[in-house]
Each structure stands twice: as structure tokens, then as C-alpha cells.
Amino acid sequence: MTTESKTAVKELTIRGVIIGGIITLIFTAANVYLGLKVGLTFATSIPAAVISMAILRYFKDHTVQENNIVQTIASAAGTLSAIIFVLPGLIMVGWWTGFPYWTTAALCALGGILGVTYSIPLRRALVTGSDLAFPEGVAAAEVLKVGDTHEGAADNRRGLRVIIWGAISSAFFSLLTNLKIALSSVTTAFKVGAGGTMVGTSLSLALIGIGHLVGLGVGIAMICGMVISYGVLLPYFSSGQLGSGDIAEGVQGIFASDVRFVGAGTIAIAAIWTFLKIIAPIIRGMRESLAASRRRKAGVNVPAQERDLSLGWVVGITLALMIPIGMLLWLFLKGTPLEHHTGGLIFLSILFILALGLAVASVCGYMAGLIGSSNSPVSGVGILVAILTALVIKAAVPAGSDPKTLVAYTLFTAAIVFGIATISNDNLQDLKTGQLVNSTPWKQQVALIIGVIFGSLIIPPVLHLMNNAFGFQGAPGAGKNALAAPQASLIAELTKGVFGGDIDWSRLGLGALIGVAIILIDEILKHTTSRYSLPPIAVGMGMYLPITLTILIPIGATCGVLFNRWAKTRKNPEAASRMGTLLATGLIVGESLWGVVYAAIVGTTGSEEPLAIVPDSWSGVSSLVGLAIFVALAAWGYRRAKQQAEA
């Protein structure tokens, strides 16, 4: 009997796959609806972990690793639902009238599986070989470890209490915001010279938790980006443009149409720089993977925690997937005005997907490690992918080609790359969780592929249902209750802008110049000091994301620094510090779980605000009430964490 079989634990099991599949169907459907309705999706890994533990605890032989497989499957599928940020564009431009099941399912599956294969060699570079925070991956691991009923230590019981208190707090506050008793954000717009800007914050305890986990360095970088956007760019671009209308509405419109694209340009140049910097670790990771495979073939016992799917399998699957992708693209072009360019376009598209896929996976994985999957601006990556895809295709076809077909083909191709982006943005979080709970990487990677397949099966019918019931704003024949699908609408308009020649490149170019300046500052800081840096992607995200999402992350990071400083004065500093981590985890868990419940309520009732009991006219009072309760709950949570640390 081998050492591996003696020490094997239940991990990738049939019951785990079934439970993960059922959770997947529910969470993915909820995410698709919520994303089309309001442009937001929720992270599914932590809710899935909690539900998995609640079910598997009735099996005596369950393990932490088996629970991790369940949340991995559900997480991959829930994340894949972000494909809705691109696909509805095909309805909006009038190319599709519905979502053909097998075409849509195949597109989701192929892009998602590529996201898995591209993220496998990144595990050693970004998860085990870097100091990235991966906040949601750490949070999920803490939930799994503390919730493991096989470990009854007093520390775990206290830690579980902290998680529960944090979860109840954030879920309770989210409920108050849905009731409209407390507002979910506090903002105000004001004049700055001839222009204007705004300040404000969302009231999200989950963002406090994210900030606690990612640290002060990332928080400060995001503040710098926010100051650039809201302190400089927004007043400049809005100068003389606000008129006599509502200042807040005018400022928000200019942020969306101008400032955000500057932020996208900064993210783009920072992403390129980041990719260039992590090429060496990626190559090193591939070499280590090959070396581990050779050692296993030679009979050397490699620790289970270091066993990825072999690089041969990864490369083979990736290249094999190009065949069905080519067939999908051929079927898409068949019978269109571009049919006589089919061979060249398909060849170019496949090369483009292969080349851009690794870059996109690397950058999205890095961003997820930096601030978490939920807050990572994947829609910004989608914008850049769509523009780049359109430029490549535009350069490859003769002038005067049918623009509608070009736009549709671009969106279809970009959707495959976007599938890679969404999955890699989440997969490395899952692999970080696996690392922390001693899972076997290759089993988790198989689970990721299973999750992608489950998600691909449920996304098309939900999309079709939403299209038939509501339609999408901007699509032919859309009614007054049409779903906004804001990201898909924006990406479709930008793609048309590339082929129509009316896209404003100056905004993206300005962002790129700002990105170069930030990169230089970051390199100078790193070479002259050992303590300070200015992560360029974090600055770009601070520029791109709305101020309401940005400002709470550094506040949460400051809370984390102060708590850890206090923890260092205790008898057991490591255990005391862990209570802060568990509180942050609970804050993320509670809001995530309530997000699932609320999505179900919205979907069942068909109302955007089904729980609202307070009229909009009370918004001033609700703002004050919300701010007071928010601060009180956050302070109470940290106080309870300190009490448990000293218990």
C-alpha cells in the first residue's frame, strides 16, 4: 500500500459533486437575474461553504477538504454567470432574438474551462509563491476550518462565535437597507469651480471585512486612485457641463462616460506591466509543475498539496478546446456577409484567444489576490477585451465589411475571452482556500471544471427566460420593464464605436499615461524603501470603481491595522489577530448569504425593491440612521472579537 493511499482523505466524492451541483443551479440562476437587473453579482464560494457544512455534518466521515470541493464547484459556476456582462449585447445589437441553448452553453463551457486551465500554472506563481492577500480565499478557508465539527478546540468555538456575530451583523444591516430603514450608501455632490464632484461611501460591512483582509497598502493605493478621479479628473471633465440640472446626476453621468474610461486605461497599462512582471514566476511555476510530474512518474512521493493537473494535461486540454471553439466560430459566421472570410477570421481569433487568454487570466488572478473577487473590476477587463478584440478584427477584414456582423462576431469572440477572465478571477481564490485547508490541487481543479459545466447548463435557460419575460434595454422591441444589463449595454456600444470610428481614445490614452507615471512611482518607492509601494492596479481600480465602493476598503484596512496592533500586546498575539480575521470573514459571510436570500426574493416577486417599507422621502433620515447603525455594528463587532481573544 502506498503512502498516498494510507493518508488519503475524502475529498472529491460523488455526494460532494451532487451537493455542489444543486447549490450551483440555485446560485447561478440568482446571479444571472441579479446581474441583469442591477449590474451586480454576489460571490458564491462562502455561502456555498456554509451550506455544504450544514449538509455534510450529518455524514460522520465528512472532511474539510470535501466541503472545500463543494464550495469550489459552486464558486466556479456562480462566477461564470458574469458572462451576462457580454452575451446580452448580441440581443441588443439585434443579432440574436434569443439565446440558442447549445451555442450559449458551449460558449460558456469552453471559455470557463479555458479559465481553469490557464489558472492552473498560475497557482504556484500567485498563490504559493506570492504574498497576495486573496481575502475571500482566506475567509472561505477560515469558515471551513472553524466550522469543521471534527475539531472541538476552545479556540475554534470562540472563533465560530466571532464569525456568527459578524455574519449576523452584516446580514442584519443588509436587511435594514433592503427595508429602506437605512440607506445602503451616503453620497453628496457639490460644485468645484465650474465643474463638480462627489463624496460618499456605501454602507457595507462586507467591504470593511475585505479591507481588513487586504491590508493598508492596497487601501492607500485605492485612495490615491480615488483622489485622482474624484479630486482632479471629475471636476475637470465636468467643468461647464453640469448646467442647471441635478448636480449628482450630472456628475455621475460624466464619471461613467469619461472618468471611468481613464481608469480603464490605467488598469490596462498596469495590467500589461503586471503581466510582464509575473511572466518569470509563471514560467518558474510551469517548470516546478513539470518537475513534480517527473518525480511522480519516477516513483517519488510528492506531497498531495503540491499535485496539480500535469502540465501535459493542461496544454493538451487547452489546445484540444481550440477545435470546438473553431467550430463555434464557423457556425456563427456561416451564412453571414463575412462567410468568405471565415478561414482567416477563425485562425486569427483562435490565436488571439490563446495569446490573450493567459494574459487575462494572469491579470484577473492578480487583481483577485489584491482585493478579492467580488470587488475586482472584471467589467473593466471586459471593456478592454472587447475593444482589443474589435481592433484585431477590424484590422483583419477589408474596409466596408458589414458592421453589424463585425460587431456581433466581436462580441461572440470577446465572450469566450471574458469567460477566461471571470473564471480565473475566482479560481485562484478557491485554490488559495485549498492551500490553507490542505486540499489536493488537481482534485480541486477537476472540481472547478465540473462547476463550469454545471454553470454552463443553467445559464442559457435563465438568460432565455429573462429575455422572454423582460427583454433588455436598447434591444429591438424592448418594453418599459426591460432589464438594464448595464455592462452588456456599455460593451456593445463601445464595440460599435470601434467599428464606427466614434470612440474617444483620448480618455483611454490619458489613463495609460497616468498608469505609466504610477508605475514609475511604485518602482522608485520599491527601490528606495523597503516598506512602501503603490500597486498600479490598485490605483487603477480606485480610479475605475465608484467612490462608494472604494472608500470603505481603506477604512477596513485601517481597522485591521489597529486591531492587529492591539493583538500584538496580548499573551498570544497570533490567536488574537486571528479573531480579527474571523470577524472580517463573518462580515463577508453574512452579507453574501443575505445576498443569496434577497436575490431569491427579487426573482420571486419581480420587484426591484420588494422589501421596501419606508418611502423615498425619508432618505435624509434613513441616511443618518444607516450611518449610526453601521458605525455601531462595526465597533460592536471589533469589541466582541477582542473579548473572545482574551477569553
Side-chain angles (χ1 to χ4, degrees):
M1 183 180 291
T2 65
T3 303
E4 180 180 353
S5 61
K6 287 179 181 178
T7 59
V9 296
K10 282 190 176 294
E11 195 165 350
L12 184 59
T13 63
I14 293 176
R15 72 187 179 198
V17 171
I18 293 172
I19 294 169
I22 294 171
I23 297 173
T24 286
L25 299 179
I26 299 168
F27 282 8
T28 303
N31 245 345
V32 169
Y33 180 84
L34 205 61
L36 292 174
K37 192 83 171 178
V38 297
L40 297 173
T41 57
F42 58 87
T44 56
S45 58
I46 293 174
V50 173
I51 294 172
S52 170
M53 288 187 297
I55 297 172
L56 286 177
R57 65 189 293 268
Y58 293 104
F59 297 89
K60 291 183 179 180
D61 58 346
H62 77 274
T63 64
V64 174
Q65 292 78 14
E66 187 180 15
N67 274 315
N68 183 47
I69 288 293
V70 175
Q71 74 84 17
T72 296
I73 292 172
S75 177
T79 300
L80 187 62
S81 62
I83 199 75
I84 61 173
F85 293 162
V86 178
L87 275 183
L90 289 166
I91 303 286
M92 294 173 178
V93 300
W95 189 261
W96 280 355
T97 57
F99 294 93
Y101 182 84
W102 290 113
T103 300
T104 307
L107 185 147
C108 292
L110 293 170
I113 294 172
L114 280 177
V116 176
T117 61
Y118 275 124
S119 62
I120 289 172
L122 296 174
R123 185 186 72 85
R124 293 175 186 270
L126 297 180
V127 175
T128 63
S130 79
D131 57 357
L132 290 170
F134 286 103
E136 288 156 341
V138 172
E142 294 294 346
V143 169
L144 289 169
K145 288 189 288 188
V146 172
D148 181 24
T149 55
H150 291 315
E151 296 183 19
D155 282 349
N156 268 20
R157 289 195 294 271
R158 288 195 296 271
L160 185 58
R161 291 192 200 107
V162 172
I163 288 182
I164 292 172
W165 290 333
I168 291 173
S169 297
S170 60
F172 172 69
F173 189 79
S174 294
L175 171 61
L176 292 181
T177 64
N178 296 140
L179 293 170
K180 302 296 281 289
I181 293 172
L183 288 191
S184 59
S185 63
V186 179
T187 60
T188 183
F190 53 90
K191 287 272 191 176
V192 178
T197 189
M198 64 189 304
V199 295
T201 180
S202 63
L203 300 179
S204 165
L205 288 167
L207 287 178
I208 292 288
I210 291 289
H212 183 118
L213 295 176
V214 302
L216 197 57
V218 171
I220 290 173
M222 294 187 72
I223 285 287
C224 290
M226 184 188 72
V227 169
I228 292 171
S229 281
Y230 286 88
V232 180
L233 298 176
L234 193 50
Y236 174 76
F237 287 130
S238 63
S239 181
Q241 303 296 316
L242 297 177
S244 58
D246 181 58
I247 296 177
E249 186 177 330
V251 165
Q252 288 173 347
I254 291 169
F255 176 80
S257 63
D258 293 284
V259 178
R260 204 167 194 182
F261 287 101
V262 179
T266 301
I267 289 175
I269 203 71
I272 293 169
W273 176 249
T274 299
F275 178 65
L276 292 175
K277 290 187 71 175
I278 63 178
I279 282 178
I282 291 170
I283 294 173
R284 184 168 61 248
M286 290 180 177
R287 287 175 178 169
E288 291 173 358
S289 180
L290 281 171
S293 296
R294 285 194 294 267
R295 289 198 300 273
R296 289 179 67 186
K297 287 180 180 178
V300 177
N301 185 40
V302 177
Q305 293 77 21
E306 289 301 318
R307 295 174 186 166
D308 293 287
L309 283 175
S310 73
L311 199 59
W313 273 102
V314 171
V315 173
I317 292 171
T318 301
L319 294 178
L321 289 178
M322 295 304 115
I323 297 173
I325 286 175
M327 293 176 62
L328 265 186
L329 296 174
W330 176 77
L331 289 170
F332 191 88
L333 289 171
K334 186 180 179 182
T336 71
L338 292 178
E339 186 174 18
H340 52 291
H341 296 296
T342 297
L345 275 175
I346 291 175
F347 179 74
L348 181 65
S349 298
I350 287 176
L351 288 180
F352 179 78
I353 291 167
L354 281 171
L356 191 62
L358 181 59
V360 163
S362 302
V363 170
C364 286
Y366 184 87
M367 291 193 300
L370 205 60
I371 67 164
S373 303
S374 298
N375 300 292
S376 184
V378 177
S379 60
V381 175
I383 289 170
L384 297 170
V385 165
I387 291 174
L388 191 55
T389 307
L391 290 173
V392 170
I393 291 172
K394 184 177 181 179
V397 297
S401 297
D402 182 57
K404 183 177 180 180
T405 307
L406 287 173
V407 169
Y409 182 75
T410 297
L411 292 173
F412 194 79
T413 305
I416 297 172
V417 181
F418 194 68
I420 298 173
T422 59
I423 287 298
S424 58
N425 182 58
D426 179 76
N427 280 4
L428 291 171
Q429 292 280 4
D430 294 324
L431 293 172
K432 181 65 176 181
T433 301
Q435 179 202 22
L436 295 174
V437 300
N438 295 319
S439 289
T440 307
W442 76 262
K443 293 179 181 178
Q444 207 174 351
Q445 289 151 8
V446 170
L448 288 166
I449 293 175
I450 293 171
V452 165
I453 293 171
F454 276 138
S456 301
L457 295 176
I458 192 62
I459 288 173
V462 178
L463 277 173
H464 193 70
L465 177 65
M466 294 299 103
N467 182 50
N468 287 343
F470 304 104
F472 303 113
Q473 291 179 13
K480 64 178 183 178
N481 294 322
L483 298 169
Q487 289 89 344
S489 177
L490 176 60
I491 289 173
E493 288 300 317
L494 284 173
T495 304
K496 288 192 285 187
V498 171
F499 290 108
D502 56 357
I503 191 170
D504 190 349
W505 293 105
S506 64
R507 302 292 185 256
L508 291 169
L510 175 61
L513 289 175
I514 293 173
V516 170
I518 293 166
I519 288 168
L520 291 174
I521 293 171
D522 181 50
E523 291 301 310
I524 291 170
L525 286 173
K526 287 178 177 176
H527 284 86
T528 56
T529 71
S530 58
R531 295 180 57 190
Y532 302 108
S533 65
L534 193 67
I537 282 187
V539 176
M541 288 189 289
M543 294 171 63
Y544 178 85
L545 293 172
I547 193 171
T548 52
L549 291 179
T550 303
I551 202 166
L552 267 191
I553 292 177
I555 290 175
T558 302
C559 292
V561 168
L562 294 175
F563 187 91
N564 291 335
R565 189 176 296 171
W566 170 85
K568 288 180 181 178
T569 65
R570 303 300 99 186
K571 291 181 181 179
N572 189 340
E574 185 177 342
S577 177
R578 185 166 179 255
M579 289 300 167
T581 300
L582 293 174
L583 173 65
T585 298
L587 297 177
I588 297 170
V589 168
E591 194 165 310
S592 298
L593 285 173
W594 175 251
V596 177
V597 175
Y598 188 64
I601 295 172
V602 171
T604 302
T605 62
S607 170
E608 291 186 25
E609 296 180 337
L611 301 182
I613 60 173
V614 175
D616 290 338
S617 59
W618 287 32
S619 60
V621 175
S622 299
S623 295
L624 294 175
V625 170
L627 189 59
I629 295 175
F630 179 82
V631 172
L633 287 174
W636 178 80
Y638 276 104
R639 184 165 172 262
R640 298 295 291 179
K642 286 183 177 181
Q643 290 174 345
Q644 289 301 304
E646 294 183 318

